[in-house]
Amino acid sequence: MTKPARKFLEPLAIGAPTPYRELPVALERMIHFFPPHVEKMRAKVPDMAKQVDVILGNLEDAIPAEAKEAARAGFIEVARTAELGDTKLWTRVNCLNSPWFLDDMLDVVGAVGERLDVVMLPKVEGPWDIHYLDQLLAQLEARHRISRPIMIHAILETALGVENIGAIAAASPRMHGMSLGPADLAASRGMKTTRVGGGHPFYGVMEDPRADQGPRAFYQQDLWHYTVAKMVDACQANGIKAFYGPFGDFSDNEACEAQFRNAFLLGCAGAWSLHPKQIDIAKKVFSPDPDEVIFALKILDAMPDGTGAVMIDGKMQDDATWKQAKVIADLARQVAAKDPEMAKVYGL
């Protein structure tokens, strides 16, 4: 049974902050991961924060078991001391069935909950996982007198999570969004690939036999198209954001850009950057193309109230294309507000 509408936006603990009614507006083109147990990486966070929209201290995968406590302590140190400006601070905690999750939550929220914007939860399989974290966060917020709700971001990386995606997206007013975790999802599905995101040379379609018996063309397809589209639908239907997750081949910038662009065109708000070179790729891809922005602004100028139909550059525009134009123009204004150079390019 789902929670009644009147109860959905009530705090889950006495003294916890009131949940958000609407998702806070924020530009989140890249979620940049850093390993908090490594001192030299912690030292780079203030400079890195100037380049990214979100900085995330990773406590889960890629952190060795013997370094989990050091990573947690390192993240708390960064949250307490680093000057981040308007860059958002997130952490990815360990999964719910791990021996580290509870201490992640107790220590991090207890020490720096007021500075923490989002908790990223791995391997979410159903709304029950979100409900548990929702209640726990409310209790910790009340205990530590945190003034604003900490949001939840789910990682989609199991077949059961994909099956329950709509219920996960609707599980709590704390839901910020959802990211595709292609590596764990591939294993959960029994997919035959060892890649972390991206395509596979053997996944594609072959053209029909040719009359001249010549070699047939093979067209590589996107392994993740269906899942990304399903994730975007679930997120948009519930007023939250969809993100592409990791792209593991740091030597192939072109493939990374292509995968990010597919996600952008399908409706994702951003992607993870696991290597500094991926920051600029995400920034480029998840900022709308200047020509698209200029054309979108033409449509909005020609149809101020979004009704009727007009011809612009030989193409008919109506209320549907007005809505499309508004999506692009609104994003361009967010980018322009943060990046003066892009504001000049967009003419905003």
Side-chain angles (χ1 to χ4, degrees):
M1 179 178 175
T2 58
K3 191 179 294 187
R6 289 174 185 256
K7 301 285 289 181
F8 189 74
L9 290 168
E10 289 183 4
L12 294 181
I14 297 170
T18 301
Y20 292 117
R21 284 185 170 272
E22 304 231 354
L23 193 66
V25 176
L27 190 64
E28 294 161 333
R29 295 165 295 181
M30 72 296 288
I31 304 167
H32 188 66
F33 281 55
F34 75 95
H37 63 297
V38 180
E39 184 177 0
K40 68 177 183 179
M41 297 306 295
R42 293 198 302 272
K44 293 179 179 180
V45 166
D47 286 336
M48 194 66 70
K50 298 174 185 176
Q51 305 172 44
V52 302
D53 298 330
V54 175
I55 192 85
L56 180 147
N58 184 25
L59 308 183
E60 196 222 8
D61 287 355
I63 307 298
E66 64 274 13
K68 295 290 188 181
E69 292 185 9
R72 191 185 305 137
F75 177 75
I76 291 170
E77 176 191 319
V78 167
R80 280 176 169 163
T81 63
E83 177 53 56
L84 303 179
D86 62 356
T87 297
K88 302 300 181 183
L89 179 65
W90 296 18
T91 186
R92 177 170 72 167
V93 295
N94 288 282
C95 58
L96 290 173
N97 64 355
S98 76
W100 305 288
F101 167 79
L102 190 56
D103 285 335
D104 287 345
M105 297 304 304
L106 296 177
D107 291 358
V108 169
V109 177
V112 294
E114 197 65 59
R115 294 206 70 186
L116 184 63
D117 293 293
V118 173
V119 169
M120 182 180 277
L121 184 64
K123 301 173 181 66
V124 174
E125 301 217 291
W128 51 85
D129 291 337
I130 303 300
H131 294 159
Y132 172 70
L133 181 53
D134 192 5
Q135 186 86 62
L136 178 60
L137 278 167
Q139 292 170 330
L140 292 173
E141 288 165 348
R143 170 182 284 185
H144 299 289
R145 296 181 174 85
I146 294 169
S147 63
R148 61 192 175 93
I150 298 166
M151 303 199 75
I152 298 171
H153 185 102
I155 312 178
L156 188 66
E157 46 191 343
T158 71
L160 183 56
V162 175
E163 179 71 14
N164 291 319
I165 193 168
I168 292 168
S172 166
R174 287 187 193 273
M175 283 299 294
H176 162 276
M178 200 176 295
S179 287
L180 173 70
D184 278 295
L185 180 55
S188 176
R189 283 175 164 169
M191 294 168 65
K192 311 306 185 286
T193 174
T194 57
R195 298 180 175 211
V196 180
H200 194 286
F202 299 156
Y203 184 79
V205 293
M206 183 171 285
E207 71 172 339
D208 288 346
R210 295 174 51 166
D212 62 3
Q213 305 299 311
R216 296 159 65 182
F218 179 84
Y219 303 97
Q220 187 172 328
Q221 304 291 296
D222 183 359
L223 285 166
W224 305 108
H225 178 90
Y226 161 79
T227 310
V228 172
K230 187 172 183 178
M231 178 178 66
V232 168
D233 283 345
C235 288
Q236 293 291 350
N238 288 281
I240 64 176
K241 297 181 180 181
F243 293 78
Y244 186 81
F247 188 89
D249 188 348
F250 302 153
S251 67
D252 194 345
N253 292 345
E254 288 182 311
C256 178
E257 182 172 335
Q259 186 70 78
F260 284 5
R261 182 165 287 106
N262 286 350
F264 173 72
L265 291 172
L266 281 172
C268 287
W272 299 5
S273 53
L274 304 183
H275 188 282
K277 67 170 67 173
Q278 294 182 341
I279 293 171
D280 285 339
I281 297 173
K283 183 177 181 180
K284 172 186 174 183
V285 170
F286 290 95
S287 300
D289 179 80
D291 290 338
E292 290 275 356
V293 173
I294 291 167
F295 189 66
L297 293 173
K298 280 186 180 180
I299 296 172
L300 298 182
D301 287 342
M303 303 172 62
D305 64 356
T307 63
V310 297
M311 294 293 291
I312 300 176
D313 298 344
K315 300 175 183 176
M316 189 198 79
Q317 311 299 328
D318 59 12
D319 63 326
T321 52
W322 184 91
K323 293 170 189 173
Q324 292 176 297
K326 192 172 186 308
V327 168
I328 293 171
D330 286 350
L331 177 56
R333 290 188 180 99
Q334 279 187 272
V335 172
K338 184 164 186 175
D339 188 335
E341 289 302 315
M342 289 304 295
K344 293 179 184 176
V345 172
Y346 292 153
L348 294 171

